[in-house]
Amino acid sequence: MNELRLVVVGASGRMGRMLTQIIPDTLGVRLTAALEQPDSPTLGVDSGFGHGTTPNGVPITSDVAAALADADAIVDFSSPVASVEMAKAAARAKIAHVIGTTGLSQADLDAIAEAARETVVVRSGNMSLGVNLLAVLVERAARALGPAWDAEIVEMHHRLKVDAPSGTALLLGEAAAHGRGVALAENSARGRAGLTGPRRLGEIGFASLRGGTVIGDHTVVFAGAGERIELSHRAEDRGVFARGALAAALWTRGKAPGLYSMADVLGLSGA
Ligand SMILES: NC(=O)C1=CN([C@@H]2O[C@H](COP(=O)(O)OP(=O)(O)OC[C@H]3O[C@@H](n4cnc5c(N)ncnc54)[C@H](O)[C@@H]3O)[C@@H](O)[C@H]2O)C=CC1
Ligand SMILES: O=C(O)C1=N[C@H](C(=O)O)C[C@H](O)C1
């Protein structure tokens, strides 16, 4: 089978640099374009620059049309605005779109769902195997324990992260809500401050810490009467997200248009 021709969106970012670093060592994929913002100072620079290796011959560009003309899939860790624009472009070009970007609003999610009617889209707040398995465990725990065990999700990330709660925290919150058979939107508590009153039964709480260079730590606490369960994941290397995203891109081959998750890619749906 031919190599999957890949476009990386957000090529100069932390995840984009990780992707361009590992793509040459990943069987079955080939980088054909590296996209950045039109005003990025890195335009024209070889996209291998970010990790001090030999040039890869793929210069960073902002020409979306040219990039999509020679591609099978897009791997996108950028910004909500950029990912929604890319989703529309991917739908028009019928190219698979793997979206890792977080901080998406409901309107952004609706636009991505609309694009997924035309092409294969894999979206996840976390592309790592560990977190997606953790979500399965959280769902089971929430189902078994019920709302009498208070669920709180604590996350910590590096000082440059711009959205909160993290996409992973929301994914884990969805898992807990699903386990309890409720909607997260109607049962979540974010950013408590001031005279909050006592905790509401069934609430799923979120707390976000930011500092230093932390790649991504998440803990789901189930606090019962007189005992507590904590389920945690710590990412030690952005490679876990990048490898997951490349696995997702390869998985899209031959799939019907639709919106998929990493649980689908990893075979964890219904686990
Ligand atoms: N789902 C997952 O497993 C993971 C998700 N993320 C998410 O991915 C996103 C990016 O994270 P980082 O790489 O750490 O951020 P970053 O800020 O280092 O990189 C984002 C890059 O996207 C670029 N960009 C913005 N608009 C663009 C456009 N229109 N076209 C092309 N490029 C554009 C920026 O210039 C920047 O270089 C964030 O939303 C983050 O939360 C990060 C790690 C793992
Ligand atoms: O911005 C990051 O860095 C990360 N973002 C994702 C999130 O919002 O959960 C995934 C990972 O934790 C790193």
Side-chain angles (χ1 to χ4, degrees), residues 37 57 59 62 86 99 124 127 136 141 163 172 194 215-216 228 240 245 257:
Q37 311 198 56
S62 61
M86 285 310 302
I99 306 173
S124 179
M127 300 283 177
V136 173
D163 56 306
L172 296 170
I215 290 177
R228 200 159 71 236
V240 298

Side-chain angles (χ1 to χ4, degrees), residues 28 52 54-55 58 66 109 122 147 154 160 162 170 253:
T54 47
V58 182
L109 294 171
V122 179
V154 185
L160 297 172
V162 295
L170 293 171
R253 266 201 157 141

Side-chain angles (χ1 to χ4, degrees), residues 60-251:
I60 294 175
T61 170
S62 61
D63 189 341
V64 175
L68 299 198
D70 179 32
D72 301 304
I74 301 164
V75 179
D76 175 358
F77 292 82
S78 56
S79 72
V81 171
S83 290
V84 168
E85 281 311 307
M86 285 310 302
K88 291 177 183 166
R92 281 192 298 272
K94 308 271 190 257
I95 290 174
H97 191 190
V98 176
I99 306 173
T101 306
T102 60
L104 298 160
S105 67
Q106 191 53 53
D108 297 334
L109 294 171
D110 292 346
I112 289 168
E114 184 63 29
R117 292 156 66 98
E118 305 296 330
T119 193
V120 186
V121 178
V122 179
R123 189 192 71 79
S124 179
N126 197 301
M127 300 283 177
S128 81
L129 171 60
V131 157
N132 285 280
L133 184 60
L134 176 65
V136 173
L137 302 177
V138 166
E139 183 174 336
R140 278 195 202 166
R143 182 174 299 122
L145 298 169
W149 286 61
D150 301 327
E152 293 281 314
I153 302 174
V154 185
E155 51 106 342
M156 181 158 187
H157 284 84
H158 53 93
R159 61 166 71 99
L160 297 172
K161 184 164 178 62
V162 295
D163 56 306
S166 69
T168 310
L170 293 171
L171 180 161
L172 296 170
E174 289 288 356
H178 198 251
R180 286 181 178 173
V182 300
L184 180 63
E186 288 144 31
N187 291 279
S188 73
R190 300 189 187 184
R192 296 187 188 99
L195 282 173
T196 61
R199 194 179 196 284
R200 208 162 44 90
L201 180 71
E203 204 164 73
I204 297 171
F206 291 88
S208 298
L209 284 63
R210 295 287 177 265
T213 56
V214 178
I215 290 177
D217 291 357
H218 293 87
T219 297
V220 181
V221 182
F222 289 99
E227 55 183 331
R228 200 159 71 236
I229 298 169
E230 298 185 0
L231 300 173
S232 292
H233 177 270
R234 296 189 201 294
E236 295 172 355
D237 180 343
R238 287 189 175 84
V240 298
F241 311 130
R243 282 193 293 277
L246 295 181
L250 285 163
W251 178 89

